[in-house]
Amino acid sequence: MQVWFTAQEIADHSETGMLPGLPASKRGVNDLAERENWRRYHALARPRGGREGGGGYEYHLDLLPLPTRLTYVAKSFRIDPEDLIAPLSGDDVTSARGREARDAKIVALRLADAFRRSTGLGAKSADDYFCRLFNAGSIDVPDWLRENLDALSVRSLARWRSGARQDTARLAFDPATARKGTGLLDTANDGAVRNFILGLVMLNPKHTTARDIKIQCRAEFGDELVDRYGEFKPMPPERTFQHFIKALKAENDVAITKVSNPDKYRSHFAFSGTNAFAWVTEPNQLWQIDASPIDVLCVDGRHSIYMCIDLATRRIVITTSKTPRASAVGLLARKAILKLGVSRMIKTDNGSDFVAKDTDRLFRSLGIDVLRSQKYTPQEKGHVERVIKTFQHQMGPKLPGFIGHNVADRSAIESRKSFAQRLGCDDADAFAVQLTAAELQVYFDRWIAADYEQHEHGGLGGRTPAQVAEASVTTIRRVDERALDVLLLSVNTRVMTKRGFGIKIGADKHYFSCPAVLPRTRCLLRMDPLDAGRAYVFSEDGEVYIDEAVCYELAGIDPVQAVKAGRAEREQKIRQIVDPARKAVRHLTGTERIDRHLAVLEADAAAREAERSNVIRFPPREEVHTTPQIAAAIAAASPAPTVPLEGRAAEIHAQLLAGADAQALRPANVTPINPVEEAYGRFRRAKQLERLQAGGQPIGEQDARWLTGYREGPEYSALSLMPAGFDEAIGL
C-alpha cells in the first residue's frame, strides 16, 4: 500500500474517492499543506530533490485527517478467504463456546497480521489502524466473528499474540466454564461434600432425591459447610441441591453408569478396540460359537439357539436345543463341519456346555484348538454376539410365538388382547404358538440361505458371505460323516473288571464284555445309538479303536456260550503274553539266577574297590569290650585239651594223614547216592501221580502237595521237554 504521496497524487486519489475530504486539485492540496504547515513534521514530509519529475514535497499518510486515512486503508486492504477459516484444533478445549471464542481471536490475529503486511506499516501503527477499522465496521468479516469480538484494541491483540505463542487453548474463554466448579457444594470441606453426594448418587441414580441427599449431608457434615476460603456457610437450600445433582449426573454419567449398571457400561461405554481379529483372513481359520434363548415359543416350550460364525466369511450355522448341554454343542459342530469344513480354532465362553469334558474331547478328536474368553467379557467374541442379535431382531418378530426381546416388548404383545381375553389363557394362546422346534429349524436354514448370506456386510467390504466364500481359494478340510457320527456318540470312561465294563442304563447296571481288554484297563466307550447292547471300545485317549463290547442280556445272546468263548479268547490273549516271557527266562534254572545276580554285584564292588586302590584307610580305633557273661562265653568256646586217639580211630587218623583213598575209608555196607537217579525217581513219581489223577483215582493230601510244588520247579520243566523215548528209558 502506498503511504507517501505528492500533492498531485493526493488530488488524484481525492477525485477517485480513495482519499475523501481533501482538495481534488494540486493547488488546493499545496494550499492545505501551507495552511496546516505540514512541512514542520520533518519525519512525515520530505523534499523530492534529486528525483525525476522536479522538486516539491512528498507527504506521509499520517499527515492526512483520520477519517481520510481510515477510508484509504480500508479500501486498500483485501482479505484472503483462507484467513477466515477456523483452525482445525478443538480437543484441548471442552466447551463449544470456549472453542468459538478461541477461533475468533486466532482469525482476528491472522487478519491483523495480513493487514500489516499489505500496508507496510509498523506493527503498532498497523494494529491501531486495524482496530479502528474493525471497530468502525469498515472491514467485511463474518457475523460469527463480530458476535464473539465486540471491539478490538492494540493491547488485546498484543496479549492474544503472546498467549497463542504458548498455547492456543489460553485464548478460549467461556463465562460459564470460568465459574464451573467454584460453587459451595463443589468446593465445601475440600471437595468432601461433592464426593459424598456423588457416592450417594452412584448407589441409586434414579431413585435418590435432592431432599434425601441434603438430609444425608446434614447428618454427615452438620448444618454448616466450610467454603474454599475457610469460612462457614449454611447448608444450601434443596433447590441448590437439585441443580447441583443434575449437573453432577451429566458430568459423571459414564462413571455413574459403571457403578450402577455394569452391563450397560460394558455395552455402551467400555473401551473397545477395532480390528482385533484382523489376523483372521482365511475361511475356517477361526470360528466363534455361543448360545442364547430364542425369543420365540415352540409347541414344546422355549428353546435355545446355538450359533456358529466363521469370522473370515461371516457365514453362520444355527441349531436348536431344548436345554444347554454338551450334546447340543456337538450337533452344532457336526452341522458346521459338514457345511463349512473343519475349523482350525474355535472361540467360546465358559458356559458349562462349552467346557464340558465331552465337548473338549470332541474338539481334541477333531484337531481343533479351543480359545476361552475371559469370564463376563462377551465383547471378546463380539461377532457371534452381534449375529445372534441380528437373528433375534430380524427373524424373531416374523415368526408365530414371538414373545418380545424384553419385558416391555412382552407386555406390549400381551396388551394386544384385552385383560378379559388374556384371563385364564396360557402362553401358547397368548402368543399364537404354532411351530415345533424342527419346524423352526427349517425357517432358520431358509433365512440363512436366502437372506443373511446374500446380504452385503460392511466388515466384508460390501460383499456378501456367499461371495467371499466363493472367491476363497483356501483348501477346505473335510471329515467323513460316519466318523463324525461315531465321535458324537455318548461317551463313558470305564475300567474293565472280571465281569466287564459296568454301565448304568436306567435304574439297572449292566456289564459289557470285551475279551480283548484285560482287567484293570481303562477304556473309552461310545454307546451304539441303534443297539443298546453294544458299545465301541477305544483306548483311553480315544485314538485307538480296540473292539466291540457286548452286553449279553441286552443283545439277546446266550450268556453261557458267550462266556465260554470269551474265557477261551481271554486265555489265548494271556498266553500270548506269558509264553514268550517264560521262554525268555527258561534257561535260569537252579542257582543260576542268584549266581548271576551276585556276580554282577560282586563285579560292581570290585570296580569300586579298584577305583579306591590308591586310598589307604586309617584303621578304626578299637577296644576290648567285656562283661562277666562275655568272659564266661569265651571260656566255654575255648578248645578243650587234645586227647590222644586210641584203637581203630587212631588207625583211620593215620591213614588220612598218609593220604589214603577215601574209598578205602567207606564202610562196606554203605551204597553211594547217584543224584541223576534220584531226579529220575522223583520225575517217575510225579508222572505216576498224574496218571492216577487223570484216571479219576484219589491221591493223598501229602502227595498232592508234593506234586504241586514239584511241578513249579525247574527239574520237572526240564525233564518234561526231553525227546520221545525218554519215559521208557527211565522205566515209565
Side-chain angles (χ1 to χ4, degrees):
M1 184 182 71
Q2 184 179 358
V3 294
W4 290 92
F5 303 94
T6 63
Q8 183 62 49
E9 290 173 340
I10 292 174
D12 294 340
H13 286 309
S14 176
E15 188 176 359
T16 59
M18 290 289 291
L19 296 173
L22 297 178
S25 63
K26 180 179 179 181
R27 183 178 180 83
V29 173
N30 287 330
D31 291 343
L32 177 63
E34 289 291 337
R35 287 195 307 271
E36 296 186 359
N37 196 13
W38 286 357
R39 296 176 186 174
R40 73 177 184 274
Y41 302 104
H42 301 290
L44 301 178
R46 65 187 183 187
R48 299 182 66 208
R51 287 191 174 190
E52 295 182 1
Y57 281 85
E58 288 182 333
Y59 304 103
H60 195 275
L61 180 65
D62 289 346
L63 289 173
L64 304 181
L66 180 60
T68 303
R69 282 182 285 159
L70 293 177
T71 301
Y72 175 76
V73 172
K75 291 184 178 182
S76 300
F77 178 46
R78 296 291 182 268
I79 297 177
D80 189 347
E82 294 184 358
D83 291 335
L84 299 176
I85 300 176
L88 297 176
S89 61
D91 297 337
D92 51 352
V93 182
T94 57
S95 170
R97 185 174 178 181
R99 288 195 297 270
E100 190 172 348
R102 178 205 58 192
D103 295 344
K105 293 174 183 178
I106 293 176
V107 170
L109 291 175
R110 286 181 186 171
L111 295 177
D113 294 340
F115 180 81
R116 180 169 57 85
R117 290 193 300 269
S118 65
T119 59
L121 299 173
K124 188 173 182 180
S125 298
D127 286 349
D128 181 63
Y129 276 120
F130 178 76
C131 291
R132 290 177 181 275
L133 291 173
F134 184 88
N135 295 337
S138 301
I139 298 179
D140 186 17
V141 295
D143 294 339
W144 69 272
L145 189 61
R146 291 204 175 274
E147 290 175 359
N148 286 276
L149 301 176
D150 295 334
L152 296 180
S153 66
V154 176
R155 178 60 185 158
S156 295
L157 292 177
R159 187 175 67 254
W160 295 348
R161 285 195 182 97
S162 177
R165 282 194 294 268
Q166 299 178 17
D167 185 6
T168 57
R170 301 182 62 178
L171 302 180
F173 176 74
D174 185 354
T177 57
R179 298 188 301 271
K180 187 176 182 180
T182 61
L184 177 60
L185 294 179
D186 277 302
T187 60
N189 296 52
D190 293 330
V193 176
R194 181 184 183 278
N195 291 333
F196 183 74
I197 295 175
L198 181 59
L200 292 176
V201 171
M202 287 180 176
L203 291 177
N204 198 343
K206 292 186 177 180
H207 302 287
T208 301
T209 64
R211 180 174 179 271
D212 296 336
I213 291 180
K214 181 179 178 180
I215 294 173
Q216 291 292 336
C217 288
R218 291 179 60 190
E220 181 75 13
F221 303 103
D223 290 332
E224 290 186 334
L225 303 177
V226 181
D227 67 4
R228 56 179 172 164
Y229 303 110
E231 299 178 357
F232 286 94
K233 296 295 178 66
M235 186 70 67
E238 185 177 327
R239 190 65 175 173
T240 302
F241 275 88
Q242 290 177 349
H243 291 300
F244 179 76
I245 293 170
K246 182 179 180 181
L248 196 66
K249 287 182 178 179
E251 180 183 354
N252 300 279
D253 179 47
V254 175
I256 293 173
T257 303
K258 179 175 178 56
V259 176
S260 61
N261 193 345
D263 291 337
K264 181 179 179 181
Y265 170 81
R266 184 178 61 243
S267 59
H268 289 77
F269 304 120
F271 179 80
S272 62
T274 57
N275 292 331
F277 293 98
W279 54 274
V280 181
T281 57
E282 299 179 355
N284 299 329
Q285 188 176 356
L286 176 64
W287 290 354
Q288 289 183 0
I289 60 177
D290 198 8
S292 173
I294 187 174
D295 298 333
V296 177
L297 281 181
C298 300
V299 174
D300 51 345
R302 191 176 184 184
H303 286 64
S304 294
I305 59 169
Y306 279 79
M307 182 81 71
C308 172
I309 181 172
D310 176 30
L311 264 63
T313 63
R314 299 297 197 274
R315 290 195 295 173
I316 63 174
V317 174
I318 301 176
T319 59
T320 59
S321 176
K322 180 65 175 178
T323 56
R325 58 182 62 187
S327 59
V329 181
L331 292 176
L332 175 69
R334 179 185 187 277
K335 186 173 183 178
I337 290 172
L338 293 178
K339 176 182 178 180
L340 308 177
V342 181
S343 176
R344 300 184 182 277
M345 194 177 302
I346 290 180
K347 179 107 176 180
T348 72
D349 57 23
N350 293 275
S352 59
D353 44 351
F354 295 116
V355 300
K357 291 183 179 179
D358 288 351
T359 302
D360 185 63
R361 183 185 297 109
L362 173 64
F363 290 150
R364 282 191 289 106
S365 300
L366 293 170
I368 300 175
D369 296 330
V370 180
L371 299 178
R372 308 286 187 200
S373 60
Q374 296 289 333
K375 291 184 178 180
Y376 312 113
T377 55
Q379 61 270 22
E380 289 192 12
K381 48 182 182 58
H383 290 80
V384 69
E385 296 282 353
R386 178 62 184 174
V387 77
I388 287 177
K389 181 178 179 181
T390 299
F391 168 78
Q392 297 274 35
H393 284 259
Q394 289 188 8
M395 194 65 178
K398 301 179 178 65
L399 295 171
F402 176 65
I403 60 175
H405 305 303
N406 48 48
V407 176
D409 290 346
R410 178 168 183 142
S411 298
I413 295 172
E414 290 176 339
S415 299
R416 294 172 186 172
K417 293 184 179 181
S418 65
F419 177 77
Q421 292 175 320
R422 299 197 309 269
L423 187 62
C425 69
D426 56 11
D427 287 345
D429 295 331
F431 297 102
V433 177
Q434 300 178 9
L435 302 176
T436 64
E439 292 171 337
L440 274 182
Q441 184 66 60
V442 174
Y443 283 106
F444 296 165
D445 295 339
R446 291 175 60 187
W447 175 78
I448 292 173
D451 187 354
Y452 182 84
E453 292 192 350
Q454 306 302 325
H455 184 72
E456 297 177 352
H457 286 246
L460 300 177
R463 296 180 296 170
T464 68
Q467 291 173 341
V468 175
E470 291 175 358
S472 174
V473 295
T474 302
T475 302
I476 304 299
R477 301 187 300 170
R478 298 292 182 185
V479 176
D480 185 85
E481 186 173 356
R482 294 171 297 176
L484 276 177
D485 293 338
V486 172
L487 294 177
L488 290 173
L489 296 179
S490 59
V491 175
N492 295 280
T493 302
R494 293 291 185 271
V495 176
M496 172 62 78
T497 66
K498 61 182 295 184
R499 300 180 62 184
F501 296 107
I503 299 177
K504 192 171 183 179
I505 301 177
D508 300 325
K509 188 173 185 180
H510 299 275
Y511 288 90
F512 287 72
S513 299
C514 183
V517 179
L518 297 179
R520 296 186 179 181
T521 304
R522 182 178 292 274
C523 296
L524 189 73
L525 274 70
R526 298 184 186 274
M527 307 305 294
D528 190 339
L530 303 179
D531 190 347
R534 295 183 182 276
Y536 302 102
V537 183
F538 296 83
S539 59
E540 187 176 5
D541 56 9
E543 295 182 359
V544 179
Y545 172 68
I546 299 176
D547 202 350
E548 279 189 355
V550 180
C551 177
Y552 301 135
E553 56 184 337
L554 295 180
I557 298 176
D558 183 9
V560 176
Q561 297 297 326
V563 169
K564 184 177 180 180
R567 184 179 294 115
E569 184 178 352
R570 175 71 56 79
E571 292 297 327
Q572 176 65 22
K573 185 174 183 62
I574 294 176
R575 281 198 300 272
Q576 292 175 357
I577 300 173
V578 172
D579 290 350
R582 294 184 64 178
K583 184 177 181 181
V585 298
R586 182 175 294 170
H587 61 283
L588 300 178
T589 59
T591 60
E592 185 174 356
R593 180 180 173 189
I594 185 64
D595 290 339
R596 290 156 60 102
H597 179 84
L598 295 176
V600 173
L601 296 181
E602 288 169 354
D604 293 341
R608 289 193 297 270
E609 189 65 27
E611 292 178 357
R612 298 194 296 266
S613 60
N614 60 343
V615 178
I616 300 175
R617 300 177 182 175
F618 288 102
R621 294 180 179 180
E622 297 180 353
E623 65 179 6
V624 178
H625 175 68
T626 183
T627 63
Q629 290 79 3
I630 294 176
I634 293 174
S638 298
T642 306
V643 178
L645 298 176
E646 298 178 354
R648 179 60 179 167
E651 293 178 4
I652 295 174
H653 183 258
Q655 293 177 358
L656 291 174
L657 293 178
D661 187 8
Q663 184 67 27
L665 301 177
R666 182 181 300 115
N669 60 346
V670 176
T671 303
I673 299 174
N674 189 336
V676 176
E677 291 296 335
E678 284 190 351
Y680 291 165
R682 288 190 294 271
F683 187 70
R684 282 194 298 270
R685 179 186 176 189
K687 287 296 184 178
Q688 291 171 358
L689 292 176
E690 287 179 350
R691 290 174 181 174
L692 292 176
Q693 284 183 334
Q697 298 182 16
I699 62 176
E701 181 179 353
Q702 184 175 0
D703 290 339
R705 188 180 299 109
W706 176 86
L707 178 62
T708 302
Y710 183 69
R711 282 178 175 175
E712 295 179 355
E715 184 178 282
Y716 178 83
S717 300
L719 295 178
S720 297
L721 297 175
M722 297 300 288
F726 175 72
D727 292 350
E728 296 179 0
I730 63 174
L732 285 176

